[in-house]
Amino acid sequence: MKKKALLAVLLAMSLLLSSCALIVKDPAVDAATVILKLGDREVTKAEVQRSTTYYLNQMEQYNAMFGQNLDITSPDVIASAQDTAVAQLKQDMVLRAKSAELQLDQLTEEELASAEEDAQASWEELKDDIKNYDLSDEEKALEGEELEAAIQAKLDEYGIKYETYQAQAKDNIVSKKLKDYVIKDVAVTDEEVKADYDSKVAADEEKYKEDANAWVSADQNSTTFYYTPAGIRRVKQILIKFKADDQAAIDEAKKAVTEANNNLTAAQDILDDEEASAEDKAKAEEDKAAAQEALDAANAAVKEATEKAFENLDADADAVLEALAADPDSWDKLQEEKNEDPGMKPGAAHAEKGYSVCEGMTSFDSAFVEAAMALQSVGDTTGKIRGESYGYYIIRYVGDEPEGPVDFDSVKEDLHSKLLSDKQDETYKTTVDGWIANAGIKEDLGALKN
């Protein structure tokens, strides 16, 4: 767990266990004002304020993830957090009441044991996080009872108790039992699955039929497709990368190119400036000439460094090609042993099927794409192809993506599972919304404005 995430959890837990209120500091009698009531369950103003503070913190953390600042003192922001808090507290009241009515809150010994196991696991994980992120270096070096005492001190500081984790673990089991009760009869028909398949095929055909490049780009993110356009093939590669010293020399030469280009642009800007003095323009002419000379030298250095880098790879690349010529079936072994492309390493997303490529694709090095598409037959292999940035590519044509809709039977099970999950979630939400609407909760929301 990251430091910020841990702090968010700790703050949330401490808020739920404390009696602080962000919005107002009211006397005890005001804090005890009943805002919501259902049967013998009451929610006080203090509880709403604590929950509101929690949601304000969540909103602030969420916006911070995207580099945005949220003013949590804004009345509109507070009102939004308060609405969320009240809605969640009402739902919690109703679900607890319904679980009790259905006797789902009566846990068996096995369920209690499972809850205790979950609570203990979460508690130990929290303690590890506190040790890793919240203790000083001196405290981290402690062992045994002294380390436990340091961790416990932090837990006490944050107001976190093990009993809260126990209660949450039990609540989680009750919540699952309640949802299982609601969705037990939810089903998805074969007709619904086929209709969903047809819809997805039509959408993908419209999106990709005339744009194979978009399909290939999406495939790099492991997108699930229901229609494949013509002209897409699969290739694998063995990348022979530049040696570290050679790559460093190329990078250094490219830095000089960038610097020279910047100086050239700066000089030209002065020459194009109608308000620049004659003296400044004369100096800019000299700077431009110097920058052009430096650029020519830098480009020559890049070319020289690149040529040297390829020369230093020739033996390695030739050895791979010789091994393939001697035994074409040794590709997989060589790909695992000699390849330096992380995307072709065992376990990588495209290592088994290969990269998808098509004519004119723009997301890969053009030298790679042209060589891959120039191969005539499945099983053909290129020679050593000079890449623009990394070294030599050795590419094998391993197959074609079949044009047209994906086979229905190959996706039927996944579609069924997704449809069923969505239908279950919607059924549960609709049922819970109905329970809340008909629960007869007594409200005094006006008291929150005082």
Side-chain angles (χ1 to χ4, degrees), residues 34-99:
V34 176
I35 304 300
L36 303 172
K37 182 176 175 60
L38 178 63
D40 59 358
R41 172 75 172 102
E42 296 179 343
V43 172
T44 66
K45 188 173 184 177
E47 289 178 89
V48 174
Q49 290 173 335
R50 288 197 296 271
S51 187
T52 299
T53 304
Y54 166 61
Y55 286 112
L56 284 170
N57 177 69
Q58 277 199 327
M59 293 163 67
E60 185 178 38
Q61 292 281 337
Y62 179 80
N63 278 268
M65 288 172 56
F66 297 94
Q68 301 172 348
N69 293 321
L70 180 69
D71 180 9
I72 61 173
T73 65
S74 163
D76 289 340
V77 173
I78 292 173
S80 176
Q82 183 174 278
D83 288 345
T84 301
V86 169
Q88 188 60 47
L89 288 166
K90 288 170 67 174
Q91 177 172 303
D92 182 67
M93 293 175 74
V94 170
L95 295 186
R96 288 181 184 277
K98 185 59 68 173
S99 296

Side-chain angles (χ1 to χ4, degrees), residues 19 22 173 202 258 325 358:
S19 59
L22 175 65
I173 291 177
T258 300
C358 67

